[in-house]
Amino acid sequence: MSFVSHKTKEDKVIDAGIYSVLFICALVTLFPLYYVVIVSLTPYVEVMKNGGFVIWPEHFTLQAYKEIFQSARIPQALKITVFITVVGTSLNLIVTTLLAYPLSKKSVPGRNIILMLIVFTMIFSGGIIPLYILVRSLGLYDSVWALVIPGMVSTFNLLIVKTYFENLPAEVEEAARVDGCGEVSTLIRIVLPLSAPIMATIGLFYGVTHWNEYFKGIFYLSDKTLMPMQVVLRSMIQAPNISTELSINSMVLDALPPETIKMAVVVVATLPLLVIYPFLQKYFVKGALLGSIKG
């Protein structure tokens, strides 16, 4: 049995209006990113010829990318950012799962009190200064772990994961226990394989947060070699002389404008997330919706 859609003239006009608005929104959203990429690939001569504004250059060059990867600071910042993203996200997922799984069981003693205390921290925080004093007291100041350990568990993400675990069929876990699985083996062998959407979604939340880490780098670090990518990007954009920031030969800057180098750094700082997101997008909607049904 087939269903044939009959759209009236008014429906088609409304559809055309909706698609036009969506197209304009997409254009407005993507154009800044497109412009950043284009400027990072444009030779200096062509930039100057077009008054500093180029939409579609006649020639392309990768010289800016070559220069920033030959400097010591950008690769080091990229290494720190990759480290805190990979290690930090892994620890986030482990700790969040180990906390959310028992809290999803109504039989756990004191569950409601623990949940109330956790939610309390989401509404009322201690503030920046007490957190800074705590980080210094723990000996984490000027350490890469200051970018990872504070905020190990996000209350919002914890509640989403807990709700997702509560929505899993109880019969599956009961069957696992009948087969001799304990709590740990049930979690590892049964629950986690069924939780791929929520793990991917929460992992993306944590990963993006770590990749874009900025404030912790400002607050807890003074060693420039430990600064993450976003902090280095900010110092470069504000720097009056980019050759000093990146130790680039001034002769190179005669052939390559500072704006081109800055845009190339912006692309390097943004591109990894843009590449990873499409692979996790299929889990994103499902994980977020299932985890927030009862939330």
Side-chain angles (χ1 to χ4, degrees):
M1 184 176 183
S2 61
F3 296 92
V4 179
S5 174
H6 296 287
K7 291 188 176 180
T8 64
K9 189 175 180 181
E10 289 76 12
D11 292 335
K12 293 179 180 177
V13 172
I14 293 173
D15 286 349
I18 292 173
Y19 284 121
S20 300
V21 171
L22 290 176
F23 176 77
I24 293 171
C25 290
L27 192 65
V28 171
T29 304
L30 293 176
F31 183 76
L33 180 62
Y34 167 79
Y35 181 71
V36 167
V37 175
I38 288 299
V39 172
S40 72
L41 296 171
T42 306
Y44 180 61
V45 175
E46 198 164 337
V47 172
M48 296 304 294
K49 189 173 75 176
N50 292 280
F53 189 82
V54 179
I55 298 297
W56 184 253
E58 297 176 0
H59 303 91
F60 295 93
T61 176
L62 294 174
Q63 187 65 31
Y65 294 93
K66 182 180 175 184
E67 293 301 329
I68 62 175
F69 279 107
Q70 281 182 345
S71 72
R73 199 164 182 198
I74 297 298
Q76 175 65 17
L78 202 55
K79 191 173 15 174
I80 293 294
T81 303
V82 170
F83 175 81
I84 63 173
T85 301
V86 175
V87 176
T89 303
S90 302
L91 292 175
N92 290 139
L93 288 176
I94 292 171
V95 177
T96 302
T97 301
L98 293 179
L99 190 53
Y101 183 64
L103 289 176
S104 67
K105 308 299 177 188
K106 294 182 180 177
S107 59
V108 172
R111 170 180 178 270
N112 291 335
I113 296 175
I114 296 172
L115 280 174
M116 187 179 68
L117 293 174
I118 290 174
V119 173
F120 182 84
T121 64
M122 187 168 67
I123 301 172
F124 303 100
S125 68
I128 295 175
I129 301 302
L131 184 59
Y132 175 79
I133 295 173
L134 178 63
V135 169
R136 286 196 73 102
S137 302
L138 292 174
L140 297 177
Y141 185 79
D142 240 358
S143 161
V144 71
W145 294 106
L147 306 177
V148 175
I149 293 178
M152 182 79 78
V153 177
S154 161
T155 307
F156 177 76
N157 293 341
L158 171 68
L159 295 178
I160 291 179
V161 177
K162 178 190 78 69
T163 307
Y164 188 94
F165 287 159
E166 287 175 346
N167 290 331
L168 291 176
E171 294 80 6
V172 176
E173 294 184 39
E174 290 171 2
R177 292 193 182 90
V178 169
D179 289 341
C181 290
E183 290 293 347
V184 176
S185 59
T186 300
L187 173 63
I188 295 175
R189 298 172 61 183
I190 305 298
V191 175
L192 288 182
L194 294 174
S195 306
I198 194 65
M199 289 295 117
T201 304
I202 299 303
L204 181 64
F205 286 165
Y206 281 128
V208 170
T209 302
H210 285 301
W211 187 268
N212 292 326
E213 193 58 74
Y214 174 75
F215 288 107
K216 289 178 184 172
I218 296 291
F219 291 147
Y220 305 139
L221 300 177
S222 60
D223 186 350
K224 285 189 174 182
T225 61
L226 298 178
M227 294 292 181
M229 196 70 191
Q230 305 303 330
V231 178
V232 174
L233 178 61
R234 175 228 180 209
S235 63
M236 278 188 47
I237 291 175
Q238 291 186 333
N241 189 350
I242 198 168
S243 63
T244 306
E245 281 293 319
L246 292 181
S247 302
I248 295 177
N249 193 319
S250 58
M251 293 181 65
V252 173
L253 291 177
D254 291 338
L256 207 61
E259 290 304 318
T260 299
I261 297 177
K262 290 177 182 178
M263 295 302 177
V265 178
V266 172
V267 172
V268 171
T270 311
L271 191 61
L273 287 182
L274 296 179
V275 171
I276 291 173
Y277 182 76
F279 295 101
L280 298 177
Q281 193 269 341
K282 62 180 179 181
Y283 298 111
F284 189 76
V285 175
K286 184 180 177 182
L289 288 180
L290 290 180
S292 59
I293 286 176
K294 294 181 181 177

